C-alpha cells in the first residue's frame, strides 16, 4: 500500500520549500514510511524527521530533532500528525520526558484537534515548531520542569551545555556544542593572527 496522493504531494512541497520558508532554520533529515499491515490492520504510517536550528533567540545554535508521523494516511490532512521532539530541550511547550509514543509531546494551538483543519499541511507543522522557539508560551506549559519564565534564558543555556535543572540532567545539544567549538577555533585563530602582527 503506497502513500496517498495528498500526503505525497504535501511532503514533496515541504521538501522543495522548507529551506526558503524557514530561512535555512529547518531541514528534513529522514523520510520514509513503514507499513503496519497484518490481517486486521489496513493503515500505513508515514513519518519523517526534521531538524530545527534557530538562528536567533535563546535557542540560537542548538539543533533539535522532531519526528512528524501520520498514523493513518487515509485521514491526512483531516487530523493533525503526531509530533515528537527527540532531543533534550528545556521548553515550556515541549515535554521531551513524555514517553507516550502515540501522542505529541509538543503543545502549540495549531496542532490541537479543535484548531487543525484540512487546509493545514506539513509546512504548517514546521512553521508551528519554528514559532515555539521564538515565542514560548508559559501560559500553556506542557513541560513539568519548565513552567516559568524566571531565569528562562539562563536555564536554556544551562540545558544546551548539558547541565542539570531541577534534578534533570540534559545531554549537551550537539548543534550547540559544534557551533561553540567552531567559534572557539575561530577565536583562537584570530588571537594567533593578532599575536603575529
Amino acid at each position: 500500500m503506497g502513500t496517498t496522493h495528498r500526503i505525497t504531494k504535501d511532503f514533496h512541497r515541504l521538501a522543495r520549500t522548507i529551506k526558503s520558508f524557514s530561512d535555512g532554520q529547518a531541514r528534513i533529515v529522514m523520510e520514509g514510511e513503514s507499513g503496519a499491515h497484518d490481517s486486521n490492520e489496513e493503515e500505513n504510517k508515514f513519518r519523517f524527521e526534521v531538524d530545527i536550528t534557530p538562528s536567533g533567540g535563546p535557542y540560537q545554535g542548538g539543533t533539535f530533532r522532531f519526528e512528524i508521523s501520520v498514523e493513518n494516511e487515509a485521514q491526512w490532512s483531516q487530523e493533525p500528525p503526531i509530533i515528537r521532539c527527540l532531543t533534550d530541550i528545556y521548553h515550556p511547550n515541549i515535554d521531551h520526558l513524555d514517553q507516550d509514543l502515540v501522542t505529541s509531546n509538543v503543545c502549540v494551538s495549531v496542532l490541537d484537534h479543535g484548531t487543525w483543519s484540512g487546509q493545514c499541511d506539513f509546512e504548517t507543522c514546521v512553521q508551528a515548531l519554528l514559532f515555539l522557539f521564538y515565542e514560548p508560551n508559559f501560559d500553556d506549559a506542557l513541560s513539568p520542569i519548565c513552567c516559568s519564565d524566571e531565569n528562562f534564558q539562563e536555564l536554556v543555556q544551562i540545558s544546551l551545555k548539558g547541565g542539570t535543572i531541577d534534578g534533570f540532567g540534559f545531554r549537551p545539544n550537539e548543534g550547540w556544542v559544534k557551533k561553540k567549538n567552531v567559534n572557539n577555533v575561530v577565536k583562537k585563530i584570530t588571537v594567533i593572527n593578532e599575536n603575529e602582527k
Side-chain angles (χ1 to χ4, degrees):
M1 225 182 255
T3 59
T4 62
H5 178 68
R6 170 74 196 265
I7 204 168
T8 303
K9 182 179 171 186
D10 284 354
F11 180 78
H12 288 298
R13 181 172 50 247
L14 176 69
R16 282 192 318 273
T17 62
I18 192 169
K19 185 176 180 181
S20 61
F21 79 72
S22 73
D23 200 21
Q25 297 176 92
R27 68 185 183 97
I28 298 169
V29 291
M30 190 280 295
E31 63 180 279
E33 57 185 283
S34 63
H37 306 292
D38 61 30
S39 58
N40 299 323
E41 199 166 1
E42 291 296 320
E43 62 185 22
N44 193 22
K45 182 175 179 180
F46 181 84
R47 70 173 180 254
F48 61 97
E49 293 177 5
V50 172
D51 276 356
I52 305 283
T53 305
S55 59
Y59 298 95
Q60 180 177 1
T63 299
F64 305 89
R65 184 156 295 176
F66 294 86
E67 181 185 70
I68 300 174
S69 62
V70 176
E71 294 298 311
N72 184 349
E73 64 188 48
Q75 294 296 316
W76 181 253
S77 67
Q78 300 309 307
E79 296 181 7
I82 293 171
I83 300 182
R84 300 207 42 90
C85 183
L86 306 177
T87 307
D88 284 359
I89 187 170
Y90 183 78
H91 193 293
N93 311 115
I94 302 172
D95 182 9
H96 73 276
L97 299 173
D98 178 2
Q99 297 299 310
D100 179 6
L101 301 178
V102 297
T103 60
S104 293
N105 67 356
V106 175
C107 179
V108 61
S109 62
V110 74
L111 299 177
D112 291 342
H113 281 277
T115 308
W116 181 269
S117 78
Q119 301 304 310
C120 295
D121 58 15
F122 293 130
E123 183 175 325
T124 306
C125 299
V126 174
Q127 291 280 18
L129 293 173
L130 286 166
F131 176 79
L132 284 180
F133 283 100
Y134 292 97
E135 299 293 334
N137 182 359
F138 292 94
D139 294 332
D140 192 18
L142 179 65
S143 171
I145 60 171
C146 180
C147 47
S148 166
D149 62 354
E150 187 176 338
N151 302 321
F152 176 67
Q153 294 204 18
E154 178 185 333
L155 293 172
V156 168
Q157 292 304 302
I158 290 169
S159 70
L160 291 172
K161 293 175 188 174
T164 301
I165 301 170
D166 290 339
F168 180 80
F170 288 81
R171 288 178 287 229
N173 185 281
E174 291 181 24
W176 188 86
V177 168
K178 286 178 187 174
K179 182 175 190 238
K180 290 299 176 185
N181 286 339
V182 168
N183 286 343
N184 287 338
V185 169
V186 170
K187 286 178 187 174
K188 287 177 185 174
I189 291 170
T190 303
V191 169
I192 291 169
N193 289 340
E194 288 295 320
N195 290 338
E196 291 176 354
K197 291 181 180 179

